[in-house]
Amino acid sequence: MSQKLFVSAQEVAEKAGVSRSAVSRTFTSGASVSPKTRQKVLDAAEALGYHVNHLARGLMRNESGIVCLIVSEIGTPYRSALLRALTQQLQNSGKVAMLINTDRSDGSVDLALRQAIRYRADASVILSGLPDKSITDLCLKNGQRLVLINRDDDREGPLKINLDDADAAARIATAFVRAGCRKLAFANSQAGTPSLMAREHGFVAAAKALGLDVVVERFGHTGYESGRVVAQQLLTRKERPDAVFCATDLLACGFMDAARHQFSMSVPDQICVAGFDDIEQACWSSYGLTTFAQPVETIAREAVSWLVSEAEPENHTVRLHADLVWRTSIRGG
Amino acid sequence: MSQKLFVSAQEVAEKAGVSRSAVSRTFTSGASVSPKTRQKVLDAAEALGYHVNHLARGLMRNESGIVCLIVSEIGTPYRSALLRALTQQLQNSGKVAMLINTDRSDGSVDLALRQAIRYRADASVILSGLPDKSITDLCLKNGQRLVLINRDDDREGPLKINLDDADAAARIATAFVRAGCRKLAFANSQAGTPSLMAREHGFVAAAKALGLDVVVERFGHTGYESGRVVAQQLLTRKERPDAVFCATDLLACGFMDAARHQFSMSVPDQICVAGFDDIEQACWSSYGLTTFAQPVETIAREAVSWLVSEAEPENHTVRLHADLVWRTSIRGG
DNA sequence: TCAGCTTTTGCAAGCGTGTGCAAATGCTGC
DNA sequence: GCAGCATTTGCACACGCTTGCAAAAGCTGA
């Protein structure tokens, strides 16, 4: 166990022949230090390998510079893409990301938020799950900011970033009909998160408005394997659908693979497929999936700029548009 | 701006009618508190919404509980899978992950490590890039632990976790030959990281030992698109290879897609393909990629257990075995 | 030279916690 | 009741930093 501690401002001050305040001021922007003192401090700091202790600084300033990202299923293409964008933007704004994985049990979002409080995070971004109201209230009361992404909650205080899921669903229904499809289906998981359900309900409603019924099938969690299972369920029915909207791209990939390799169907000739998220794999040529693009960069930008803003912004919910990316899994276009 | 601060141990002490030390001891394991004082403190803390300030605790104990994960290309399947495993294991051990994204410029690994020092991280895990010696020395001198994953560096102090890349390459060369292939190729990116080069050199050497030459082609960064480009380069030669080992699964997916859809070749009948990493997509039925599995769970377990161990362990480098996962992209088996 | 002003500097208090030490408390056995 | 002991409690200092305040230093113009 190495007993040597990090070098402190005190030691730098002694070496530079100035007071401890001077070295502190050298490292705080907007403080009053004369150029030559500043230089003496900088030299001494460099020589000693001094780095400001952000734990102590956070303690004093009551602002840690930490932002908590609370997320499950980190290994998933969409989640990891969003994570990438968020960490990037946070770092650009001088913040640092604390990553909390909530894969294990339910209620672990609350645990995660507690961790955020312990480290006095300036803000938390929730990508999955929905925390208990009591605990978000605690966060907000103490000036900690909160961003909910695709969570569709109605409480006051946090910034909510949502997509126009229902509208997108309606657009894809129209596209299917225009491609000549009449037997519509929706492939979903059993996760039941707000955005997934919004897509499902929006699709069913839009189809109804067009005079069509929708067969809805749900299975397991939101991944490739579930897509295969749902395909199994939908394609063994007496009447096969000729168009299926999958709640996410992962489901769509699983669905397409099963349709092609297990049921020897041709996409899009015999069945049209659409997805949601526009993960990297969607444009791989084995899929060429027509899908809605999650605007991850925009989401990250909105979230971070709100987090770091000085004033309390007026509008606490932002609704973003999901662009339809047209590829080859739907006829025509 | 909400001026209310978080509740402190002092306030809890007053409410519970005990001294501040008592509440501190209540929340430090292994401290001496009588059951009834403890209960009074717990009740008061619950009522007030008290949470220990880990910044202050870290300052006192000289142990922040933070572990820095330094990683680039977070959105990539293999990286995000490793990230998932690491955060999971860290949380199980009572640590918390600070995520630093080094996608932008080179040398940003040094910046990242500086950030780790500022927050007095107990340890850093480096998944990409290689920091300057001067800065890793600084980390180590101050008792900060360091783990290098697949970085193949020879300095003393950090834990190095590596795979048997060269051995794996030799095994796959044998498998190709056994499948009747004679015209071998290797598909790589231009990243030139130690593990990629170890696979390349290992493959070339093993082929040579078997009396065969290898055509090596490299392009761009290590992703799907580069796989396609390399396929372009390899499959337009006068003599097409009949087996190609791709440095990673992403390259392999790109290669297979180009071979099939652009050159109308059949895998594995006309060309055998193997990859490395065993990303989720490798087992998707459009690929069925025969590949080497990165033991992400084991890597994470090794890293974390070393990080949290009390004593300085003796062996500072662990070499893990990559299992060959046999699917359908190589004939026979 | 000095009054009047602005800029720089050092002092010291405080942020919220852990912990060594000595005093206080509780318990046991006579 | 009391000596002898183990356990619990409170005091006070330390951790490394920021910052208000007042003293010191520098600068200008007569």
Side-chain angles (χ1 to χ4, degrees):
Chain A
M1 194 52 66
S2 82
Q3 297 293 7
K4 173 72 170 61
L5 299 174
F6 281 90
V7 27
S8 75
Q10 178 66 52
E11 304 175 52
V12 177
E14 279 160 16
K15 169 141 190 154
V18 297
S19 78
R20 186 179 44 252
S21 329
V23 14
S24 178
R25 280 190 251 262
T26 302
F27 290 103
T28 35
S29 60
S32 158
V33 210
S34 76
K36 60 189 161 214
T37 331
R38 181 186 186 74
Q39 194 53 51
K40 278 194 291 184
V41 170
L42 252 32
D43 291 345
E46 177 65 26
L48 265 50
Y50 169 75
H51 289 90
V52 178
N53 186 332
H54 273 51
L55 271 58
R57 168 176 283 186
L59 192 56
M60 261 307 294
R61 291 214 184 137
N62 214 51
E63 176 181 352
S64 61
I66 296 173
V67 172
C68 258
L69 305 182
I70 297 176
V71 40
S72 68
E73 298 180 337
I74 298 178
T76 262
Y78 161 61
R79 285 283 162 69
S80 60
L82 188 47
L83 201 56
R84 193 194 56 71
L86 278 168
T87 51
Q88 192 76 265
Q89 299 268 0
L90 283 174
Q91 287 173 207
N92 288 349
S93 302
K95 299 284 184 182
V96 63
M98 178 165 276
L99 179 57
I100 299 191
N101 183 339
T102 58
D103 271 342
R104 312 223 311 163
S105 62
D106 269 330
S108 60
V109 180
D110 288 3
L111 261 63
L113 226 28
R114 269 207 184 76
Q115 196 74 306
I117 292 178
R118 290 202 193 96
Y119 279 95
R120 299 301 191 258
D122 299 337
S124 300
V125 182
I126 298 182
L127 307 190
S128 32
L130 201 51
D132 205 63
K133 189 162 185 332
S134 66
I135 201 156
T136 60
D137 280 352
L138 185 59
C139 290
L140 296 168
K141 193 166 55 183
N142 292 110
Q144 189 169 109
R145 299 198 176 179
L146 216 53
V147 178
L148 306 176
I149 297 184
N150 284 338
R151 304 259 66 81
D152 209 32
D153 185 58
D154 62 352
R155 74 192 69 173
E156 277 303 313
L159 170 68
K160 284 150 287 185
I161 302 183
N162 292 307
L163 261 51
D164 55 349
D165 293 291
D167 180 60
R171 277 181 281 151
I172 203 66
T174 309
F176 279 149
V177 170
R178 194 168 299 156
C181 304
R182 291 295 175 270
K183 289 171 282 183
L184 272 36
F186 188 84
N188 206 349
S189 74
Q190 292 175 319
T193 68
S195 26
L196 298 185
M197 295 317 284
R199 290 166 205 168
E200 176 179 319
H201 295 145
F203 189 65
V204 172
K208 188 164 199 169
L210 293 165
L212 296 173
D213 270 347
V214 174
V215 181
V216 175
E217 205 70 70
R218 308 188 194 99
F219 183 83
H221 76 294
T222 321
Y224 174 87
E225 270 309 321
S226 300
R228 297 191 63 106
V229 173
V230 170
Q232 205 89 2
Q233 296 170 334
L234 284 173
L235 301 179
T236 49
R237 296 170 64 95
K238 57 232 151 262
E239 206 179 32
R240 283 186 180 173
D242 57 7
V244 51
F245 181 28
C246 302
T248 73
D249 283 359
L250 280 181
L251 290 169
C253 287
F255 187 95
M256 281 178 78
D257 275 348
R260 281 175 171 158
H261 306 134
Q262 202 170 334
F263 293 90
S264 306
M265 293 178 72
S266 157
V267 178
D269 298 330
Q270 295 175 271
I271 188 167
C272 292
V273 178
F276 206 108
D277 286 348
D278 194 25
I279 63 178
E280 198 206 323
Q281 288 73 27
C283 73
W284 288 9
S285 64
S286 283
Y287 300 98
L289 185 61
T290 295
T291 187
F292 292 94
Q294 288 258 14
V296 282
E297 291 297 335
T298 310
I299 293 175
R301 199 166 344 105
E302 289 282 341
V304 173
S305 71
W306 184 82
L307 287 183
V308 302
S309 75
E310 295 299 319
E312 204 75 13
E314 70 292 348
N315 188 6
H316 286 277
T317 162
V318 10
R319 181 162 293 272
L320 297 175
H321 181 74
D323 276 328
L324 180 53
V325 182
W326 200 271
R327 296 203 180 89
T328 58
S329 65
I330 299 184
R331 289 188 295 276
Chain B
M1 193 51 67
S2 80
Q3 296 295 9
K4 175 72 170 60
L5 299 174
F6 281 91
V7 26
S8 74
Q10 181 64 52
E11 304 176 52
V12 177
E14 280 160 16
K15 170 138 189 156
V18 298
S19 79
R20 201 186 50 72
S21 326
V23 14
S24 176
R25 281 190 249 262
T26 302
F27 290 101
T28 35
S29 59
S32 156
V33 210
S34 76
K36 60 189 161 212
T37 329
R38 181 186 186 75
Q39 194 53 51
K40 278 194 291 183
V41 170
L42 252 31
D43 290 345
E46 177 66 26
L48 264 48
Y50 170 75
H51 289 89
V52 177
N53 186 333
H54 274 49
L55 274 62
R57 168 176 283 186
L59 190 57
M60 261 304 296
R61 288 209 186 144
N62 213 49
E63 177 181 353
S64 61
I66 297 173
V67 172
C68 258
L69 306 182
I70 299 177
V71 41
S72 67
E73 298 181 335
I74 298 178
T76 261
Y78 161 60
R79 286 283 162 69
S80 59
L82 188 48
L83 201 55
R84 193 194 56 70
L86 278 168
T87 52
Q88 192 77 265
Q89 299 267 0
L90 283 174
Q91 287 173 208
N92 287 350
S93 302
K95 299 283 182 184
V96 65
M98 178 164 276
L99 179 58
I100 300 193
N101 183 338
T102 59
D103 271 341
R104 312 217 317 156
S105 62
D106 270 330
S108 60
V109 180
D110 288 3
L111 262 62
L113 225 28
R114 270 207 183 76
Q115 196 74 304
I117 292 177
R118 291 202 192 94
Y119 279 96
R120 298 302 189 260
D122 299 337
S124 300
V125 182
I126 299 184
L127 306 190
S128 32
L130 201 52
D132 205 63
K133 187 160 188 333
S134 66
I135 202 156
T136 60
D137 280 351
L138 185 59
C139 290
L140 295 169
K141 193 166 55 186
N142 292 110
Q144 190 169 107
R145 299 199 176 178
L146 215 53
V147 178
L148 305 178
I149 298 184
N150 283 340
R151 304 260 66 79
D152 208 32
D153 185 58
D154 61 353
R155 73 193 70 173
E156 276 304 313
L159 171 68
K160 284 150 287 186
I161 302 184
N162 291 308
L163 261 52
D164 55 349
D165 293 290
D167 180 61
R171 277 181 281 152
I172 202 68
T174 309
F176 279 149
V177 170
R178 194 167 299 156
C181 303
R182 291 296 174 271
K183 287 171 285 183
L184 272 38
F186 188 84
N188 206 348
S189 73
Q190 291 174 319
T193 68
S195 25
L196 298 185
M197 295 317 285
R199 290 165 206 169
E200 177 180 317
H201 295 146
F203 189 65
V204 172
K208 187 164 199 169
L210 294 165
L212 295 173
D213 269 348
V214 174
V215 180
V216 174
E217 205 71 69
R218 308 189 193 100
F219 182 83
H221 74 295
T222 321
Y224 174 87
E225 271 308 322
S226 299
R228 297 190 63 105
V229 173
V230 170
Q232 205 88 3
Q233 296 171 334
L234 285 174
L235 301 179
T236 50
R237 297 169 65 95
K238 55 229 151 269
E239 207 179 31
R240 283 185 179 172
D242 56 8
V244 51
F245 181 28
C246 301
T248 73
D249 283 359
L250 280 181
L251 290 169
C253 287
F255 187 95
M256 283 178 77
D257 276 348
R260 282 174 172 158
H261 307 134
Q262 202 171 332
F263 292 89
S264 306
M265 293 178 73
S266 157
V267 178
D269 298 329
Q270 295 176 270
I271 189 166
C272 292
V273 179
F276 205 108
D277 285 348
D278 194 26
I279 63 178
E280 199 206 322
Q281 287 74 28
C283 73
W284 288 8
S285 64
S286 283
Y287 299 98
L289 185 62
T290 294
T291 188
F292 292 94
Q294 289 258 13
V296 283
E297 292 297 336
T298 310
I299 293 175
R301 200 169 340 106
E302 288 282 342
V304 173
S305 71
W306 185 81
L307 287 183
V308 302
S309 75
E310 294 300 321
E312 206 74 12
E314 69 292 346
N315 189 8
H316 284 278
T317 161
V318 10
R319 179 162 295 272
L320 297 176
H321 181 74
D323 277 327
L324 179 54
V325 182
W326 200 271
R327 296 204 180 87
T328 58
S329 65
I330 300 183
R331 290 188 293 276

